[in-house]
Amino acid sequence: DIQMTQSPSSLSASVGDRVTITCRASQGISNSLAWYQQKPGKAPKLLLYAASRLQSGVPSRFTGSGSGADYTLTISSLQPEDFATYYCQHYYTPPRTFGQGTRLEIK
Amino acid sequence: QVQLQESGPGLVKPSETLSLTCTVSGDSINNYYWNWIRQPPGKGLEWIGNIFYSGTTDYNPSLKSRVTILVDTSKNEFSLTLRSVTAADTAVYYCATSRVGAPYFDCWGQGTPVTVSS
């Protein structure tokens, strides 16, 4: 199985900050990467797919980039509703696996 | 917009079988892959497996020996059966859609918590 490692595991930031979350796969995954946002007690929500494509309805302050085995999610200007846990997920080969999550907290 | 709703017992005894159903509304069950994903308390997400409307399945190898996913197109629902459960199977179980050629999860149910305990 391809292992996905996110960093940091947790992050404190303020409204208006720019933050970046990293996801590293145990091998190259050819941009076969999705990002999700999960708020407490809620189901995850798809933010981006194909590493950089924004899901319909997701604000443009969320951007994704990367290649090979290394990918990033950037939030350009944090809004109060962005404080949540973020997960990456590869879909290069079965089984699809998720990163362990990055918890984004208010400073 | 497709909508998903999980249902099933919230408590299962160790060594018994967990059975959940996901009811689909808002679109035909024929248009998607239908997935089950779980999240143990305070932990990350684990993909369990999926089924296409034709009945073709794909399972996570870590669970494959204990899992069966079935689809009932007449009822627009699909189901999860997990046998020989232990406390490690305690989790919130989600159903979710993915599309042909797009194996990420674009629509999720609200999730249903299942506790394995005697």
Side-chain angles (χ1 to χ4, degrees):
Chain A
D1 299 1
I2 296 174
Q3 306 303 314
M4 307 299 291
T5 303
Q6 289 181 232
S7 60
S9 295
S10 63
L11 175 60
S12 295
S14 301
V15 173
D17 283 355
R18 176 186 179 95
V19 299
T20 296
I21 298 168
T22 297
C23 181
R24 172 167 287 180
S26 56
Q27 66 178 73
I29 56 171
S30 297
N31 289 355
S32 299
L33 187 87
W35 288 97
Y36 301 85
Q37 175 194 68
Q38 186 179 32
K39 296 182 178 179
K42 301 294 186 181
K45 173 188 173 183
L46 177 67
L47 298 176
L48 298 110
Y49 59 94
S52 61
R53 296 192 175 188
L54 207 61
Q55 175 71 349
S56 176
V58 174
S60 59
R61 63 180 179 272
F62 291 91
T63 58
S65 65
S67 63
D70 295 315
Y71 299 87
T72 60
L73 170 69
T74 298
I75 310 172
S76 60
S77 179
L78 276 172
Q79 299 302 300
E81 60 268 28
D82 299 337
F83 292 94
T85 299
Y86 293 85
Y87 293 94
C88 61
Q89 174 238 327
H90 89 84
Y91 48 93
Y92 183 64
T93 57
R96 304 152 209 187
T97 55
F98 294 83
Q100 82 279 14
T102 295
R103 184 175 178 181
L104 179 53
E105 300 175 318
I106 299 175
K107 185 182 286 184
Chain B
Q1 174 76 6
V2 66
Q3 294 183 322
L4 307 171
Q5 178 67 60
E6 304 91 347
S7 60
L11 180 64
V12 182
K13 290 182 169 57
S15 80
E16 296 191 346
T17 296
L18 179 161
S19 297
L20 298 174
T21 297
C22 183
T23 301
V24 179
S25 59
D27 202 348
S28 170
I29 202 165
N30 295 349
N31 294 338
Y32 304 89
Y33 284 92
W34 304 98
N35 297 270
W36 287 100
I37 297 160
R38 69 180 184 178
Q39 185 172 35
K43 296 188 178 180
L45 299 156
E46 180 180 35
W47 175 73
I48 299 170
N50 69 20
I51 191 165
F52 198 47
Y53 76 95
S54 60
T56 302
T57 54
D58 187 15
Y59 298 131
N60 191 322
S62 68
L63 296 167
K64 186 173 184 176
S65 63
R66 299 194 291 132
V67 171
T68 301
I69 299 175
L70 298 174
V71 64
D72 187 334
T73 55
S74 67
K75 295 183 178 180
N76 242 34
E77 62 184 36
F78 62 107
S79 63
L80 169 70
T81 300
L82 180 64
R83 296 173 290 278
S84 304
V85 298
T86 69
D89 296 309
T90 294
V92 175
Y93 285 75
Y94 296 99
C95 54
T97 60
S98 57
R99 299 171 192 256
V100 175
Y104 41 85
F105 311 110
D106 57 356
C107 185
W108 296 64
Q110 64 183 24
T112 188
V114 177
T115 300
V116 177
S117 175
S118 56

